[in-house]
Amino acid sequence: MPNHIGYDGNSWLVPNPVEPRENFADKWSAHPELAVAFYAWLERLQEDLQDARESEGIDRAVLRLSESFGERPITKAAARLGETYRGARERGALAFTAGSGILSASGAIPVRHHDFYGGRGRAH
Amino acid sequence: MEAGVVPIRNQAQQLLGLATLPLTRSLSLQRSRLSWVGELQPTPLSERYTVGIEATPTHRPRVSVISPALVESAAKLPHVFEDGCLCLCFSWQWDHTKPIARTIVPWASEWLLFYELWKATGLWLGGGHEEPLDTDGPNPATTAPCDPDVLLRAV
């Protein structure tokens, strides 16, 4: 992301990737504290992304990323991830990698249809 | 039966199927009791879980997470029986002709994926049912799917 931040000697440039004529940093010259805050956030984000990659467990990655992006959007993204996996299984598009157990569209063993059932401490 | 998958006829065939999985860590067959331990990581972001399966010719496989320990008691976890075994399917969705390596093991990995998402969101996103379905007529869903007695009556 730092590579997308420019300075032309006069003003900061952070072009909107969807609409390049829009400059996200157009107020930074008048309010340099915005740039300072943004760089602090960016540094924290890079740490959080690295931690999320190294964290063990989706739940821990969600916790780390929530610190940068906020709990609500990250939790929503996690729920969407679950819906995606479930949808793939229901469509017969989910597969299992025999070497690791990783579930994806490209594993060698198709995950057969099944329904989780029961539980919550019930007896067998 | 999935195309190209030969129905299982005995525990030795189950053992061979599990032995072909590179994630298998230990495997034994004693007096028809099959014991398997493997390491599952459902996504690249997930923990690596050591999972155990015990299976006999007359009982439904019992699947448990050996490590790391599950975060909650069985009473609070979705789709876990009181003894901590995972409940992965309805009774009619698995029988002894189905290879454990291609059914129970992938389903266990999927349970772990939704377990991590449950810890993150508080929601069980893997679908399924908590209680018996309220339907007319014979429906295996109205029986406990992992109940060995139910399975014994069915064979």
Side-chain angles (χ1 to χ4, degrees), chain A residues 48-62 65 81 85 102, chain B residues 41-49 113 116-117:
Chain A
D48 286 346
L49 287 174
Q50 185 61 31
D51 286 347
R53 276 194 291 269
E54 292 173 355
S55 63
E56 293 185 336
I58 295 173
D59 50 310
R60 289 179 197 169
V62 164
L65 292 175
L81 182 68
Y85 273 100
I102 284 178
Chain B
Q41 185 186 26
T43 76
L45 278 181
S46 298
E47 286 207 65
R48 291 176 199 275
Y49 296 87
L113 162 69
E116 289 191 347
L117 288 168

Side-chain angles (χ1 to χ4, degrees), chain B residues 2-16:
Chain B
E2 185 185 320
V5 176
V6 178
I8 296 292
R9 297 185 190 281
N10 55 49
Q11 292 291 79
Q13 289 182 344
Q14 289 287 22
L15 180 130
L16 280 174

